[in-house]
Amino acid sequence: MAFKSLAAILALAASFGAVHGAIVKRVTCPDGNTANDAACCPLFAIRDDIQANLFDGGECGEEVHESLRLTFHDAIGIGHTGGGGADGSIVIFSSTETAFHANNGIDEIVERQKPIIARNNITAGDFIQFAGAIGVSNCPGAPQLDFHLGRPAATAAAPDLTVPEPFDTIDSILARFSDAGGFSPAEVVALLASHTIAASDHIDPNLQGVPFDSTPEVFDTQVFLEVQLRGTLFPGSGGNQGEVESAIAGEMRLQSDHNLARDSRTACEWQSFVNNQAKLQSAFKAAMRKMAVLGHDINQMADCSDLIPVPKGLNVAATFPPGLTNADIEQACATTPFPTLSTQPGPATTIPPVPGS
């Protein structure tokens, strides 16, 4: 009797697990790799191609920064008519979309990715998001992003004026994100965690590879700290449009970041990421999951997230750059004090440009 009862319990548990996803039967691919879904098997070779020929064997540098930027510029360009969304239109209709003012400079990474897409059996929309997730995995401290397979080829170019720009008003930026995919102000701030591994090549034509924080090689919370340091806003014209003078030499601050960190709708959310690596990872992962499938039904796609490598961990605290303290913070959140942080020792230094820019 006891044996029969145990067998019944085990059978019930197995049934429950199969229904609720607790038990996942992995498939063995023709190349010997295993995946949660057979549809994901071709991606192993594509992943190797991306790492070897786009990211130089696994670096977190310029091509990763630009590939992550491309995931956003392709996806957010969604309108109520025509093409757009995370469909690869920025590659398929590159002559149209790379000419948009907001996509200035995006042509370089598009041209780098085109031959890799051409030699692999994958749509441009899937490749852009897959390459972005793979690239982020090379950056210590980043979350393991989700990736879903199944975007059909784009049939039309995205509409112009659908990609927010650094000199847009906060009202305009928040409205565009809301219209594009129902993104809340908190999700907008979470997506801007991408700036922790970003750099500018085109906002100021005289400056190349200028990072947005002092640690562009790792996915950390420094950008949320450093943007809240006092800085001088440029008048917003000529080559400096969209740029703010940072408190740190060699670093650029975007006007939109500066303003979002000080706007009553987003200031407290911005500050909440300072020295909170766990929140940074979880919020960015969730917002990216939503952005990466704009224009698609995720329930009709294959979940290939298990193919994205787990990034190296990062156990560092946010710190003020040398010579700066809490007294240099421009406090904007009215309800929560700014965290008390230590200051890095030594004299102030200039942050070098990102290599390869």
Side-chain angles (χ1 to χ4, degrees), residues 22 37 74 77 95 114 175 194 205 264 274 331 336:
D37 193 316
D74 184 48
S95 61
K114 275 184 177 181
S194 60
S264 60
V274 176
Q331 177 70 27
T336 307

Side-chain angles (χ1 to χ4, degrees), residues 70 73-74 77 82-85 87-100 103 106-107 110-111 114 117 124-125 128 152-160:
L70 186 60
H73 282 248
D74 184 48
D87 61 358
S89 65
I90 201 167
V91 167
I92 297 173
F93 300 97
S94 58
S95 61
T96 297
E97 292 195 35
T98 60
F100 297 163
N103 290 335
I106 210 78
D107 58 312
V110 166
E111 294 305 313
K114 275 184 177 181
I117 297 171
I128 288 171
T155 57
D160 196 3

Side-chain angles (χ1 to χ4, degrees), residues 225-274:
L225 161 61
E226 292 168 15
V227 167
Q228 288 201 245
L229 293 166
R230 288 185 176 83
T232 303
L233 190 64
F234 283 120
S237 61
N240 291 328
Q241 191 177 39
E243 177 189 349
V244 177
E245 184 177 3
S246 174
I248 304 168
E251 180 180 299
M252 180 182 291
R253 182 185 304 176
L254 297 182
Q255 178 178 315
S256 51
D257 285 357
H258 180 94
N259 292 341
L260 281 162
R262 290 157 177 78
D263 189 277
S264 60
R265 292 163 290 186
T266 49
C268 289
E269 187 66 19
W270 187 282
Q271 179 180 297
S272 73
F273 286 106
V274 176

Side-chain angles (χ1 to χ4, degrees), residues 247-321:
I248 304 168
E251 180 180 299
M252 180 182 291
R253 182 185 304 176
L254 297 182
Q255 178 178 315
S256 51
D257 285 357
H258 180 94
N259 292 341
L260 281 162
R262 290 157 177 78
D263 189 277
S264 60
R265 292 163 290 186
T266 49
C268 289
E269 187 66 19
W270 187 282
Q271 179 180 297
S272 73
F273 286 106
V274 176
N275 206 31
N276 192 338
Q277 187 74 13
K279 180 177 180 179
L280 180 77
Q281 292 176 328
S282 62
F284 182 68
K285 178 171 182 169
M288 282 292 293
R289 175 187 172 93
K290 184 174 177 177
M291 187 197 71
V293 295
L294 283 180
H296 306 285
D297 180 357
I298 196 172
N299 296 312
Q300 301 301 314
M301 305 172 79
D303 188 350
C304 301
S305 304
D306 57 312
L307 272 76
I308 306 302
V310 177
K312 293 180 180 178
L314 187 69
N315 186 22
V316 296
T319 54
F320 287 104

